[in-house]
Amino acid sequence: MAHWYDGPAALRVGTGPTRIPLEVAASYRARTRGLLGRDGIDGAMLLTPAASVHTFRMRFAIDVAYLDRNLRVLDVVTMAPGRLGLPRLRARHVLEAAAGAMAGWGLTAGTTLEVDTV
């Protein structure tokens, strides 16, 4: 995707046919809000551009995937509320989901993602 916009999309992990609901947060305002004030998320949120995240004032633990410019997963971590994630070199996007969701999707380091706009 050449230019990112806030809004709904769908995420595909690898070559799998499953489409995961995705919210794209591309504006400064949307990235700043992120998942704050929510009790959970159905699917995932893509923060772009982003190289790190925090979970201060979050109500639930999240999985965080750091992605390069080609949407290839560099690293996946689980963060409890009240934590500060370290920036990752080469990370251009961050994918967030409820803790445990990414393992269920088979998302690991080296996996390439695809984003389909809705």
Side-chain angles (χ1 to χ4, degrees), residues 50-52 64 66-67 74-77 85-92:
S52 67
V64 177
Y66 297 90
L67 313 175
L74 301 171
D75 193 16
V76 179
V77 298
L86 297 174
R88 297 297 200 274
L89 293 176
R90 299 185 1 250
R92 297 294 178 266

mmCIF file of all heavy atoms in Angstrom, residues 50-52 64 66-67 74-77 85-92:
data_model
loop_
_atom_site.group_PDB
_atom_site.id
_atom_site.type_symbol
_atom_site.label_atom_id
_atom_site.label_comp_id
_atom_site.label_asym_id
_atom_site.label_seq_id
_atom_site.Cartn_x
_atom_site.Cartn_y
_atom_site.Cartn_z
ATOM 1 N N ALA A 50 5.124 3.432 12.820
ATOM 2 C CA ALA A 50 5.430 3.230 14.238
ATOM 3 C C ALA A 50 6.578 2.243 14.368
ATOM 4 O O ALA A 50 6.685 1.308 13.575
ATOM 5 C CB ALA A 50 4.212 2.700 14.983
ATOM 6 N N ALA A 51 7.429 2.458 15.367
ATOM 7 C CA ALA A 51 8.541 1.548 15.630
ATOM 8 C C ALA A 51 8.507 1.008 17.053
ATOM 9 O O ALA A 51 9.273 0.123 17.398
ATOM 10 C CB ALA A 51 9.868 2.249 15.381
ATOM 11 N N SER A 52 7.603 1.571 17.889
ATOM 12 C CA SER A 52 7.470 1.089 19.260
ATOM 13 C C SER A 52 6.094 1.471 19.784
ATOM 14 O O SER A 52 5.400 2.295 19.185
ATOM 15 C CB SER A 52 8.554 1.686 20.160
ATOM 16 O OG SER A 52 8.357 3.081 20.303
ATOM 17 N N VAL A 64 2.130 -7.787 20.367
ATOM 18 C CA VAL A 64 2.672 -6.731 19.519
ATOM 19 C C VAL A 64 3.602 -7.372 18.495
ATOM 20 O O VAL A 64 4.523 -8.102 18.863
ATOM 21 C CB VAL A 64 3.455 -5.692 20.354
ATOM 22 C CG1 VAL A 64 4.083 -4.636 19.459
ATOM 23 C CG2 VAL A 64 2.555 -5.054 21.399
ATOM 24 N N TYR A 66 6.188 -6.339 15.442
ATOM 25 C CA TYR A 66 6.928 -5.270 14.783
ATOM 26 C C TYR A 66 7.145 -5.692 13.331
ATOM 27 O O TYR A 66 7.632 -6.800 13.073
ATOM 28 C CB TYR A 66 8.265 -5.044 15.485
ATOM 29 C CG TYR A 66 8.093 -4.578 16.913
ATOM 30 C CD1 TYR A 66 8.018 -5.494 17.957
ATOM 31 C CD2 TYR A 66 7.985 -3.232 17.210
ATOM 32 C CE1 TYR A 66 7.846 -5.070 19.264
ATOM 33 C CE2 TYR A 66 7.811 -2.797 18.516
ATOM 34 C CZ TYR A 66 7.740 -3.718 19.533
ATOM 35 O OH TYR A 66 7.563 -3.293 20.826
ATOM 36 N N LEU A 67 6.770 -4.808 12.395
ATOM 37 C CA LEU A 67 6.812 -5.138 10.974
ATOM 38 C C LEU A 67 7.773 -4.219 10.228
ATOM 39 O O LEU A 67 7.875 -3.033 10.552
ATOM 40 C CB LEU A 67 5.413 -4.974 10.357
ATOM 41 C CG LEU A 67 4.242 -5.589 11.117
ATOM 42 C CD1 LEU A 67 2.934 -5.224 10.448
ATOM 43 C CD2 LEU A 67 4.403 -7.086 11.218
ATOM 44 N N LEU A 74 9.138 -8.824 12.172
ATOM 45 C CA LEU A 74 10.494 -8.829 12.712
ATOM 46 C C LEU A 74 10.536 -9.510 14.080
ATOM 47 O O LEU A 74 11.493 -10.208 14.398
ATOM 48 C CB LEU A 74 11.021 -7.399 12.843
ATOM 49 C CG LEU A 74 11.077 -6.588 11.549
ATOM 50 C CD1 LEU A 74 11.406 -5.132 11.849
ATOM 51 C CD2 LEU A 74 12.096 -7.197 10.597
ATOM 52 N N ASP A 75 9.495 -9.283 14.883
ATOM 53 C CA ASP A 75 9.463 -9.821 16.243
ATOM 54 C C ASP A 75 8.021 -9.773 16.748
ATOM 55 O O ASP A 75 7.251 -8.901 16.335
ATOM 56 C CB ASP A 75 10.365 -8.986 17.160
ATOM 57 C CG ASP A 75 10.634 -9.643 18.498
ATOM 58 O OD1 ASP A 75 10.392 -10.860 18.638
ATOM 59 O OD2 ASP A 75 11.090 -8.939 19.425
ATOM 60 N N VAL A 76 7.674 -10.697 17.633
ATOM 61 C CA VAL A 76 6.359 -10.717 18.276
ATOM 62 C C VAL A 76 6.589 -10.822 19.773
ATOM 63 O O VAL A 76 7.337 -11.685 20.231
ATOM 64 C CB VAL A 76 5.509 -11.920 17.802
ATOM 65 C CG1 VAL A 76 4.164 -11.932 18.518
ATOM 66 C CG2 VAL A 76 5.307 -11.888 16.302
ATOM 67 N N VAL A 77 5.953 -9.925 20.528
ATOM 68 C CA VAL A 77 6.053 -9.948 21.992
ATOM 69 C C VAL A 77 4.662 -9.761 22.588
ATOM 70 O O VAL A 77 3.775 -9.214 21.942
ATOM 71 C CB VAL A 77 7.008 -8.861 22.534
ATOM 72 C CG1 VAL A 77 8.415 -9.073 22.038
ATOM 73 C CG2 VAL A 77 6.525 -7.475 22.172
ATOM 74 N N GLY A 85 7.455 -0.511 25.407
ATOM 75 C CA GLY A 85 8.168 -1.355 24.454
ATOM 76 C C GLY A 85 9.360 -0.625 23.879
ATOM 77 O O GLY A 85 9.294 0.579 23.617
ATOM 78 N N LEU A 86 10.444 -1.333 23.678
ATOM 79 C CA LEU A 86 11.629 -0.738 23.083
ATOM 80 C C LEU A 86 11.453 -0.615 21.577
ATOM 81 O O LEU A 86 10.872 -1.499 20.945
ATOM 82 C CB LEU A 86 12.862 -1.603 23.382
ATOM 83 C CG LEU A 86 13.236 -1.754 24.846
ATOM 84 C CD1 LEU A 86 14.375 -2.747 24.995
ATOM 85 C CD2 LEU A 86 13.630 -0.402 25.421
ATOM 86 N N PRO A 87 11.946 0.473 20.994
ATOM 87 C CA PRO A 87 11.874 0.597 19.533
ATOM 88 C C PRO A 87 12.693 -0.500 18.867
ATOM 89 O O PRO A 87 13.723 -0.912 19.375
ATOM 90 C CB PRO A 87 12.481 1.966 19.243
ATOM 91 C CG PRO A 87 12.648 2.647 20.546
ATOM 92 C CD PRO A 87 12.568 1.620 21.621
ATOM 93 N N ARG A 88 12.220 -0.992 17.734
ATOM 94 C CA ARG A 88 12.928 -2.016 16.975
ATOM 95 C C ARG A 88 13.524 -1.386 15.719
ATOM 96 O O ARG A 88 12.818 -0.692 14.983
ATOM 97 C CB ARG A 88 11.978 -3.141 16.540
ATOM 98 C CG ARG A 88 11.344 -3.914 17.677
ATOM 99 C CD ARG A 88 12.390 -4.644 18.506
ATOM 100 N NE ARG A 88 11.862 -5.730 19.287
ATOM 101 C CZ ARG A 88 11.330 -5.615 20.484
ATOM 102 N NH1 ARG A 88 11.198 -4.442 21.043
ATOM 103 N NH2 ARG A 88 10.903 -6.682 21.133
ATOM 104 N N LEU A 89 14.796 -1.637 15.490
ATOM 105 C CA LEU A 89 15.430 -1.166 14.265
ATOM 106 C C LEU A 89 14.718 -1.803 13.080
ATOM 107 O O LEU A 89 14.310 -2.953 13.145
ATOM 108 C CB LEU A 89 16.908 -1.538 14.250
ATOM 109 C CG LEU A 89 17.789 -0.845 15.280
ATOM 110 C CD1 LEU A 89 19.215 -1.383 15.210
ATOM 111 C CD2 LEU A 89 17.783 0.650 15.079
ATOM 112 N N ARG A 90 14.574 -1.084 12.005
ATOM 113 C CA ARG A 90 13.922 -1.532 10.764
ATOM 114 C C ARG A 90 12.402 -1.636 10.880
ATOM 115 O O ARG A 90 11.739 -1.918 9.890
ATOM 116 C CB ARG A 90 14.511 -2.853 10.260
ATOM 117 C CG ARG A 90 15.983 -2.771 9.926
ATOM 118 C CD ARG A 90 16.579 -4.036 9.298
ATOM 119 N NE ARG A 90 15.718 -5.143 9.075
ATOM 120 C CZ ARG A 90 15.762 -6.304 9.742
ATOM 121 N NH1 ARG A 90 16.664 -6.481 10.682
ATOM 122 N NH2 ARG A 90 14.938 -7.285 9.438
ATOM 123 N N ALA A 91 11.818 -1.447 12.078
ATOM 124 C CA ALA A 91 10.365 -1.507 12.205
ATOM 125 C C ALA A 91 9.746 -0.238 11.621
ATOM 126 O O ALA A 91 10.191 0.870 11.913
ATOM 127 C CB ALA A 91 9.953 -1.668 13.655
ATOM 128 N N ARG A 92 8.734 -0.415 10.771
ATOM 129 C CA ARG A 92 8.019 0.716 10.168
ATOM 130 C C ARG A 92 6.541 0.723 10.556
ATOM 131 O O ARG A 92 5.874 1.729 10.432
ATOM 132 C CB ARG A 92 8.116 0.667 8.637
ATOM 133 C CG ARG A 92 9.503 0.800 8.100
ATOM 134 C CD ARG A 92 10.086 2.185 8.378
ATOM 135 N NE ARG A 92 11.444 2.288 7.887
ATOM 136 C CZ ARG A 92 12.534 2.072 8.598
ATOM 137 N NH1 ARG A 92 12.430 1.724 9.865
ATOM 138 N NH2 ARG A 92 13.726 2.189 8.076
#
